[in-house]
Amino acid sequence: MASAEFWYEFASTYSYPAALRVAALADERGVNLLWRPFLLGPIFAAQGWRDSPFNIYPAKGRYMWRDLERTCKAMGVPLKRPEPFPQPSLLAARVALALEGDDRSAFSRRVFAAEFGQGLPIGDRATLGALLAACGVDSAAAFERAESGANRALLKAETARAAEIGVIGAPCLVTQDGEVFWGNDRLEQGLDWAAGARVGDVV
Amino acid sequence: MASAEFWYEFASTYSYPAALRVAALADERGVNLLWRPFLLGPIFAAQGWRDSPFNIYPAKGRYMWRDLERTCKAMGVPLKRPEPFPQPSLLAARVALALEGDDRSAFSRRVFAAEFGQGLPIGDRATLGALLAACGVDSAAAFERAESGANRALLKAETARAAEIGVIGAPCLVTQDGEVFWGNDRLEQGLDWAAGARVGDVV
């Protein structure tokens, strides 16, 4: 079965619609989807950015919020801008990484829906605990695994791997043969590629 | 008749496939397309960039070139990276602005095809003169109009207007009601909006 990695960051606005869309798109194409939470912070820091580029470049930020508004409206999902933006996403990423399989994807979708659909503070343990419970996951055990030294190290390693394979933003779809497709609007193209319809293959 | 502005910059990589695609897409939707050459330089300079962000941020540049390669291959058009990148685009923009109607769009497509399809130096008067001749335009007269004080001032004014209406990169599709759609991959969405299918309208 063809597989593809879905790299996402909980603070990333376009990861929200992507996380809600990607599973159905992968299923339609028979692609096994691997959910890969990571942190954009270190990747942005390597480019000299200490904040979201949408804050550093206000014109780009204004464009993004309007564009996201159109995207969410077209999908029929709510959009409520969280304050502050970006939200602290470290704990959510650790928790997601500590979960496996469907628990990870279900929890991740709920985090995005809470953050950008309801404007809830996803840096708060209480918010995340409630989302874990809603997924039927024991939140105390999940937090313990999430904050273990091994899981913290794994998130660092995953983030380093993201940078290494060319993940320059979030979300990204990465195929087994190493192609990177950046953006919510490139999910279909990336999954088509993963499924074998390699229009544009120039190798 | 609904109309939309197509804002493009000759040094912009994604403006190349967009310039080749946009007229047919507008025709299909019955949208009157207004070709708007402008300069990204002053807009980037306002954000503190003195070079293409694809050069300033090499990881982003590597992604873009590979992505553009896939895009061109899928369209069946050649891609040859011009050296240096970005190409000096001031003269080409002045010439395009000095032309009207179909002359402007035909010349603009030829400039992009020469630059990114053949890797030709579009800063050279000789290159542009040959492209003008291929369009059936008197090149001496076109250069004279292009370099007149009035036309230079018009290009400055157009670039200032681009920044004002929220054009943050190239290409952009801007609708009569002020919506901005950034990127080659957003032409369809922008033209659908212009034609009246306003999925995502939240106003």
Side-chain angles (χ1 to χ4, degrees), chain A residues 66 69-75, chain B residues 1-4 31 174-179 181 188-203:
Chain A
R66 175 58 183 153
E69 201 170 33
R70 291 189 303 231
T71 299
C72 290
K73 178 72 189 248
M75 285 174 64
Chain B
M1 188 178 190
S3 69
V31 172
V174 182
T175 63
Q176 284 170 294
D177 56 350
E179 294 289 328
F181 297 85
E188 287 86 346
Q189 189 190 2
L191 289 166
D192 283 346
W193 186 288
R198 289 167 192 196
V199 182
D201 191 353
V202 295
V203 177

Side-chain angles (χ1 to χ4, degrees), chain A residues 33-47:
Chain A
L33 196 66
L34 309 169
W35 289 63
R36 301 280 188 241
F38 76 111
L39 298 175
L40 267 180
I43 290 175
F44 282 175
Q47 308 201 329

Side-chain angles (χ1 to χ4, degrees), chain A residues 47 49 57 59-60 63 66-67 69-70 73-74 168 179-182 185-186 193 199-202, chain B residues 47 49 57 59-60 63 66-67 69-70 73-74 168 179-182 185-186 193 199-202:
Chain A
Q47 308 201 329
W49 298 333
Y57 306 111
K60 223 170 160 175
Y63 175 81
R66 175 58 183 153
D67 187 51
E69 201 170 33
R70 291 189 303 231
K73 178 72 189 248
I168 55 169
E179 294 290 326
V180 179
F181 297 85
W182 176 31
D185 43 15
R186 296 304 187 87
W193 187 287
V199 181
D201 191 353
V202 295
Chain B
Q47 310 202 329
W49 299 333
Y57 307 111
K60 221 170 160 176
Y63 175 81
R66 174 59 182 153
D67 187 51
E69 202 170 32
R70 290 187 304 232
K73 178 71 189 248
I168 55 168
E179 294 289 328
V180 180
F181 297 85
W182 177 31
D185 42 14
R186 296 304 187 86
W193 186 288
V199 182
D201 191 353
V202 295

Side-chain angles (χ1 to χ4, degrees), chain B residues 21-32:
Chain B
R21 298 193 318 119
V22 69
L25 297 174
D27 282 353
E28 284 166 17
R29 291 161 178 82
V31 172
N32 179 32

